[in-house]
Amino acid sequence: MSIPEDFLKQLEQYTELSHRQKEVFLEIFGRSKSRVQVTQELNISESNLSTCLTEIYRKFSITGHGPVKESRLREYLSKKYSQQKPSSHLTTDGIDDSIDALVQEIRQQIKPYIKEKCGTMRVLDMPKPIELTGKQGIYTNVNILEAITGRRRLKVAELMQSCDHDNFERLGLSGVKQKRVSGLEVVQRYSKLMVLGKPGAGKTTFFKISSNAVY
């Protein structure tokens, strides 16, 4: 949620920040910019941005790790701002609508961070991370069998129906006859999954792109 810059500049802790820290503070909490956008806007590195944020959190006495500190500071600022606004009576429907709107807004704010962390993968001997999707992406679409082939229970008659005498390999296992389902569709449909595969089959890559897409 964006907080008016005029209010942020009135805070006692704001006056204790350096010029660069004030810029970072206003960009993230006053204009709801993502970390990537701030580094580009202010032309600073990720490490310099992290240093500024660490000092900002210290000034506001915010503790925790990673995105937790940003959420806590945003919550603190929102609470301080709401205390200065005139109180108004909200109906139950109004409260529900406000919560839904807040959830959607927070999702939009944290989406660039999730995409940055889960949408790329570092590869040895390459200076920059590679995108998992898109034109330059390395991700290959995955289709999944909902039922594990090795755990099927078939009768002898069913095995003989699928047996090819001219091209015999293994009884009942000469071909997969189950309907394949899109991997991302399965992730969105089920809350619990077990993904099996040989080393290097792409399990980790699939999990990263799945978490990015589902969020």
Side-chain angles (χ1 to χ4, degrees):
M1 179 175 61
S2 302
I3 301 172
E5 294 183 33
D6 291 341
F7 167 77
L8 296 178
K9 293 178 180 179
Q10 294 173 4
L11 295 173
E12 179 182 351
Q13 295 90 336
Y14 177 82
T15 61
E16 300 175 359
L17 301 175
S18 68
H19 176 70
R20 177 63 78 188
Q21 291 163 6
K22 289 178 180 177
E23 288 182 322
V24 171
F25 179 66
L26 293 177
E27 289 289 339
I28 292 180
F29 300 98
R31 299 164 190 161
S32 298
K33 298 286 186 64
S34 67
R35 293 171 67 102
V36 175
Q37 290 173 323
V38 173
T39 55
Q40 295 173 349
E41 186 75 23
L42 301 180
N43 194 26
I44 60 175
S45 64
E46 177 70 25
S47 60
N48 287 339
L49 176 62
S50 298
T51 301
C52 289
L53 285 173
T54 299
E55 188 61 23
I56 292 171
Y57 296 140
R58 190 182 70 81
K59 294 290 185 182
F60 283 88
S61 302
I62 301 297
T63 59
H65 299 282
V68 174
K69 290 194 287 188
E70 181 176 333
S71 299
R72 288 179 178 174
L73 180 51
R74 198 177 295 278
E75 182 180 353
Y76 167 80
L77 295 173
S78 299
K79 186 176 181 180
K80 292 283 288 184
Y81 178 62
S82 63
Q83 290 174 349
Q84 294 198 3
K85 294 169 61 180
S87 59
S88 59
H89 178 69
L90 289 177
T91 62
T92 304
D93 292 339
I95 293 175
D96 292 340
D97 292 341
S98 299
I99 292 175
D100 291 340
L102 180 61
V103 169
Q104 293 301 321
E105 190 170 352
I106 291 176
R107 281 179 176 271
Q108 289 299 320
Q109 290 174 3
I110 202 171
K111 188 174 182 179
Y113 176 80
I114 297 295
K115 187 173 182 180
E116 177 189 359
K117 294 299 180 184
C118 300
T120 59
M121 177 174 286
R122 283 197 171 276
V123 180
L124 293 177
D125 300 329
M126 290 191 178
K128 294 182 179 180
I130 299 178
E131 291 185 0
L132 295 178
T133 57
K135 238 180 177 183
Q136 305 298 325
I138 62 173
Y139 177 68
T140 302
N141 289 330
V142 174
N143 292 322
I144 293 177
L145 298 176
E146 292 189 271
I148 299 176
T149 305
R151 294 185 180 178
R152 293 181 301 164
R153 296 293 181 266
L154 301 176
K155 296 180 180 179
V156 174
E158 293 174 320
L159 289 173
M160 296 304 297
Q161 287 178 358
S162 61
C163 178
D164 185 354
H165 298 283
D166 297 328
N167 187 24
F168 181 78
E169 184 180 352
R170 288 183 294 169
L171 187 63
L173 298 177
S174 58
V176 177
K177 301 186 182 301
Q178 297 182 56
K179 181 182 178 182
R180 296 178 182 270
V181 183
S182 167
L184 295 181
E185 179 184 339
V186 172
V187 171
Q188 293 172 336
R189 186 189 307 173
Y190 300 106
S191 59
K192 295 181 180 179
L193 296 174
M194 178 184 293
V195 179
L196 305 177
K198 296 179 181 179
K203 297 184 296 296
T204 302
T205 304
F206 174 68
F207 281 130
K208 291 193 71 174
I209 194 65
S210 297
S211 62
N212 186 29
V214 171
Y215 203 91

